Amino acid sequence: MRRLGLSSLCFLLACGGGSSTPDAGDAAPADANSVDASPTDAAPMDASAPDAARPTCNSGLGELPPDVVTLSRADETGTTDLSEQSFSIDVDGSTLALAEQDLYEAVRFSIDRPARVLGFGVRWGSLDAAPAADAELRAGVYPDFGHNGFDFWRWDPFADLSRCASDARADEWIDYVLPSPVVVTQPGLLYVAHERVGTDAPAFRFDQTPADSCDAFAACSSSINLFRAGAGSFTGTTFPFQYDYEVRLYVQYTEDAPTDLVFRELPDSTLGNRVAFGDYDGDGFDDFVTAGPKLMRGAGDGTFTDVTAASGIGAMGVSGSGVWGDYDNDGCLDLFVFAESMTQADALLHANCDGTFTDVTAASGIGDLQSYEDCGDAANVHAPTPAAAFADLDADGLVDLYVGNFICWGRGSFYSDQVWHNEGDGTFSDWSGTHGFSDARTPSRSVAPADADGDGDIDILVGNYRLVKNLYFRGIGGGEFLEEGRRSGLEGHADARGGVDYFGHTIGVAWGDLDNDGDLDVVEANLAHPRFFDFSDKTRVLLNDGRGHFLDTSGDWSTPASDAGLRYQETHSSPVLADFDADGNLDLVITEVYDGRPTDFYWGSGDGRFRLDVLHSGITTTNGWGAAASDWDNDGDMDLAATTLFENQRAGAHFLELRVVGDVASNRYGLGATVTLTVGGVSVLRHVSGGSGQGCQDSATLHFGLGDSTRVDSIRVTFIGGGEVRYAGPFDADQRLWLYESGRAAVGWSEPPVGAP
C-alpha cells in the first residue's frame, strides 16, 4: 500500500482533523456567498436538497460557445483513478486506504481577471459498464475557502450539476454546462469538485506524472478532502494531491488585465519581513529599517540607499528588526532593534545626530535575558521578540518601550512581555508585571499603542497568537494601567470547548478611525485555519462606541465573508490602514503568510465597511508578513511597503500632511498624539504610531485625504502629556504643516527653522 505524505502546506494544524483539534461544532454553515464570484440569473443549487428535488441526470447538458477558453493542468499522458491505486494516508494513528474512503476530489482554478465561468469537463473513471438509465455523474463548481489551495466551501456550490452516466465513456471527456454563468469580478480561486461515496463510486481520473512535492503553492492544483463522519462543520483532513485530475474549466474573459493600477512595484526593492518608517536624518524624506537590521535612506524620488554600514549599525553585531523613537528628545530618531530569536539580544541604538548610531543597550539597562524557558537548548537565554513599540506610558514627555515576546514552538510554551520605563538620564527601569501590566506568559505577535479612549493617556493593544486572548492595557493616568481586554471587547470572542476558552491567532493589529466619527477603531488580523473556522476568531473590524467598548462588525462569519466586507483568507497577517485614494476614508491592506497567498486590498467606505479590489491594487506580494505606509516621495499620496516597495500612482485628490512636534511637555517625536482636522464641518482623525502590524511602524507624517477640498478650516492636536492644542485655519491643501505643542505652525517638507512661517 503506497502512503501519501501530507504536504507542508498543512503546517500548524492547517490539515489536522485529529485529537489536537477541539470539536468544531454540529451545524453546517449555510447561505454562503463568494466575495469575488457570483452566479447570475439563477440561485445556486442546494447540495443538501433531497434527490427528488434535483433535476434529471442531464442537468449539466448544454452547448458551449465557440470562443470558450479552456483551463487545465492535466497532461493526458495516461490516466488512472483512486480505485486502481493503493494510496493510503495516516490520520489520527490510523492508516486509511483512500479508495475505501468517502471523500471529495477537487481541482483548483485561479482566475486572474474578470470572467464568466461557463462550465467544466471531466474524465471519469470507475464507471459501471451498464449504468441505470437515470444514474448520475455529479460534480460542481465551488467557492474557495481560505485561499490555501486545497479547501473549498462545500455547503453552497455555485452550481451542482449532473450528467447521465450512460453518456460517459471511460477515458473520454464529458462536459457540464452551467445553466447560468458564474461571474468572477475579482482575482481568486474556485474549484471543480465531486463527492465520491463508496468504493465502487465513479472517480476523477488523474494523470500519471507526479509532482516531486506539493510544498510549493503552485506545484499541485488537485486535492483530496476527507470529512469527519457525522460532523456538519468543516472538520477532517484535506491535502494537496501530487497528480493532476483530468478536469477542465471553461471560461470567457470579460475584461483584459487592468492598467489603471493603484500601486507600481519598485524594481529591486525586496524587504525583510518587517518594516518601520522614520526620517532618521531629518531631511524631510522618510527612511526605513527592515529586518537585518538594514537601514535604507530615502532620496525622495522613490529610491533608497543602503546605509547600514555607513550608519555604524552593520558593525554592531545586532540582529532583527526595529522601531523608531526619540527617547532623549534631542530631535534625532533613535532605534530599538528586536530579535525574534532565543540566541540574539534586543538592542537600543542611540542616534548621534550625524547619521550614525551608538549601541547603548548595556548602559540603558534594557535586556531580554530570561531563565525560565530554554526551549531545549541551554544557549536559548533570550526571549524571542516579534514586535515592540515606543510609547509614553506615564505622560512625562519621555517615550518608554513595550516589548512583546513570543513562543517556544517545540514545547508550545510562551514568554513574558517586558516593559521599560524611560528615566530621562539614558537609563530604563523594568516595569514588567507592574503598574497594571501582566506578567503572564503569552504568545505576543503585535504591539500597538494609541490613545484609544481619547483621554490623553496612551493605551496598548497586544495581539496574541495560538488561540490566546489579546490584551488591552488602558492607561488611567500616572503610569498606571488596567487590563480591559474583556470589558472593551478587544480580547477576542471566547469560544469554550472542553472547558477552555479559544480566541484567535492574532498576528497584526492597526488603529484608525474607520467610520469617521472622531475616535479610534481597530483591525485585528487573525490567521484562522479552516479546521478552526467554527470556533476561532477570523479577522475582526472593531468600531469604537466612544465609551471604551469596541463592537466587531464582522458578523458571525457563517460564510467565507464578513459583514464588514472582508473575504476569508486563512493566513491574514498584518493590516495597514491609510487613505490611499485621498478621499478622506481609510483603506485597508492585509498581508497573508505562506507560499502563494496574495495580499488583499480594500477601499474603505467611511462607515467601517470595506470593498475588495485586488484587481486594481497592483500589489504583487504573496507570503507577506509585516507592512507599513508612508509618503516616502512627498507627492501627497501614501505609498506601501509589503515585502517589497509599492509606489502609489493615484493622483488628483487634494491632501494635507502634518508632523506634530512636542516642544513643551510631550515627547518631541509626537508619538501617540491624535490629530483632528476639520474641513467644511467634517472632522477626520489620525494618530502618530509608535508601532503597528507585526513589529512594523507607519510614518509619523500624518496624511489626510481631502478629496476635492482645497482648504482646511482648523486642526486640533491632543499631545500625550501635553493636552489639547488648537490651530486656527484656514490652511491651504497640498502641503506639509509642522504643528508644535507650543502652538506654532510652520510650512515645509522638512522641518523649518525656528521663526519660519
Side-chain angles (χ1 to χ4, degrees), residues 343-373:
T343 60
Q344 295 289 326
D346 298 336
L348 180 65
L349 309 185
H350 176 258
N352 299 320
C353 295
D354 61 359
T356 66
F357 294 83
T358 300
D359 187 344
V360 296
T361 311
S364 72
I366 293 174
D368 66 341
L369 288 172
Q370 55 78 34
S371 58
Y372 52 83
E373 178 56 85

Side-chain angles (χ1 to χ4, degrees), residues 271-276 289-291 321 338 340 385-387 625-627 694-696:
L271 311 178
N273 60 351
R274 296 177 180 88
V275 61
V289 63
T290 188
S321 304
F338 54 91
E340 191 176 344
T385 306
W625 283 93
Q694 184 196 228
C696 297

Side-chain angles (χ1 to χ4, degrees), residues 28-32 153 533 555-561:
D31 300 325
W153 190 255
F533 188 80
D556 61 7
W557 280 99
S558 58
T559 72

Side-chain angles (χ1 to χ4, degrees), residues 9-30:
L9 283 172
C10 305
F11 174 67
L12 193 57
L13 303 181
C15 297
S19 58
S20 61
T21 306
D23 185 350
D26 299 319

